[in-house]
Amino acid sequence: MRLYAAVAAGGFRRYATYRMATAAGVFTNTVFGFILAYTYIALWGERPALGGYDMAEALAYVWIGQALLATCGLMGGGFEDELMERIKTGDIAVDLYRPADLQMWWLSVALGRSGFQLLGRGVAPMAIGALAFDLALPEHPLTWLAFLVSVALGVVVSFAVWFLVALSAFWLMDGAGVVQVAWLSGTFFSGMLLPLTVFPGALGEVARALPWASLLQVPADVFLEKRTGWELMEAYAFQAGWALVLLTAGRAVQGAATRRVVVQGG
């Protein structure tokens, strides 16, 4: 485990070196946050309590989304391009023969990256949003800890999704199509544009049952104290369940890819 802890720390330091990119990300998230916030103000002004949120909760939801956009990889996991490139060039063969698990290695990288993104690109937009708008904030101090646990689980689910996307490059000449589908799915089904509770009927039920709900909708509801007590445990179980299913699927695909590399190498 020391190896993977060192990889996670290295991932944190690596992304911390991109200071201008981080500043640009903070600016982009903040601008997009203001655009969404004023859109929500108009929408909730016409439909108060839409989706079960009042105005302050809806505005908080906007800025939680901006804080988690890069942290939970709503539009990309941040590592999939590099992993796919290593698969295309054949460098992945070296990785598979190393005395380290491929999935755990990249999960450690993702955790380090997400830790930095939460601090580097998450805190500032959320603070700016809180200063500019009347946001609903947790009433109980322990809610902040519960929120961080939910975010951590969301990061793992996000990694598991993007790991599967990256591994598709073993069988596809170009994984750009899979990446695009995953990007669109993450944008829509995470609730980044609108809370999933707003979606009507069967669409809403399906959207809230998909793994992308773990990336934003569930952490946001934990932050807004919509999930407390037993419902909080159910939220964690939902996220952990998807993490387990997707990580298991990723390990199975990794095993098939390893056998493919061995056969081709032989």
Side-chain angles (χ1 to χ4, degrees):
M1 294 303 295
R2 290 183 179 180
L3 170 63
Y4 301 119
V7 172
F12 186 99
R13 290 193 299 270
R14 174 185 176 185
Y15 285 94
T17 61
Y18 301 120
R19 298 178 182 176
M20 291 303 297
T22 301
V26 170
F27 176 78
T28 302
N29 288 149
T30 302
V31 171
F32 192 52
F34 272 95
I35 294 172
L36 273 180
Y38 284 114
T39 303
Y40 275 40
I41 288 173
L43 182 57
W44 261 260
E46 293 294 324
R47 296 285 301 276
L50 180 64
Y53 301 118
D54 60 26
M55 181 71 78
E57 290 171 336
L59 290 173
Y61 184 96
V62 168
W63 293 100
I64 293 168
Q66 295 312 300
L68 299 185
L69 179 62
T71 303
C72 289
L74 302 184
M75 301 175 70
F79 70 91
E80 66 279 354
D81 290 338
E82 182 179 353
L83 179 53
M84 293 177 81
E85 184 63 27
R86 293 188 67 81
I87 294 172
K88 293 176 183 178
T89 60
D91 291 340
I92 192 67
V94 177
D95 300 338
L96 291 172
Y97 281 111
R98 286 174 179 168
D101 181 72
L102 182 71
Q103 188 183 59
M104 282 298 298
W105 179 281
W106 286 101
L107 174 58
S108 301
V109 171
L111 290 174
R113 170 192 174 277
S114 295
F116 171 75
Q117 296 290 9
L118 180 62
L119 297 175
R121 285 185 60 175
V123 173
M126 186 70 182
I128 293 171
L131 291 173
F133 301 95
D134 181 20
L135 307 186
L137 299 176
E139 296 181 0
H140 305 287
L142 287 179
T143 300
W144 291 95
L145 177 60
F147 171 67
L148 290 177
V149 172
S150 184
V151 169
L153 289 170
V155 168
V156 176
V157 174
S158 174
F159 162 78
V161 170
W162 288 105
F163 186 69
L164 283 168
V165 169
L167 291 184
S168 69
F170 275 107
W171 291 272
L172 300 175
M173 294 296 293
D174 185 0
V178 179
V179 170
Q180 189 71 11
V181 170
W183 181 83
L184 290 172
S185 299
T187 302
F188 186 77
F189 288 113
S190 66
M192 191 181 77
L193 300 179
L194 279 173
L196 300 182
T197 54
V198 173
F199 292 7
L203 175 61
E205 293 179 5
V206 171
R208 291 188 290 272
L210 293 174
W212 292 283
S214 299
L215 279 56
L216 173 55
Q217 183 67 58
V218 174
D221 281 344
V222 171
F223 182 91
L224 295 171
E225 298 178 334
K226 302 289 185 180
R227 303 288 192 97
T228 59
W230 179 247
E231 289 187 349
L232 177 61
M233 295 300 103
E234 289 180 338
Y236 288 161
F238 174 81
Q239 291 178 293
W242 270 117
L244 179 61
V245 168
L246 293 170
L247 288 173
T248 301
R251 187 159 295 279
V253 175
Q254 176 185 318
T258 301
R259 291 190 293 272
R260 180 185 178 91
V261 170
V262 170
V263 169
Q264 291 179 345

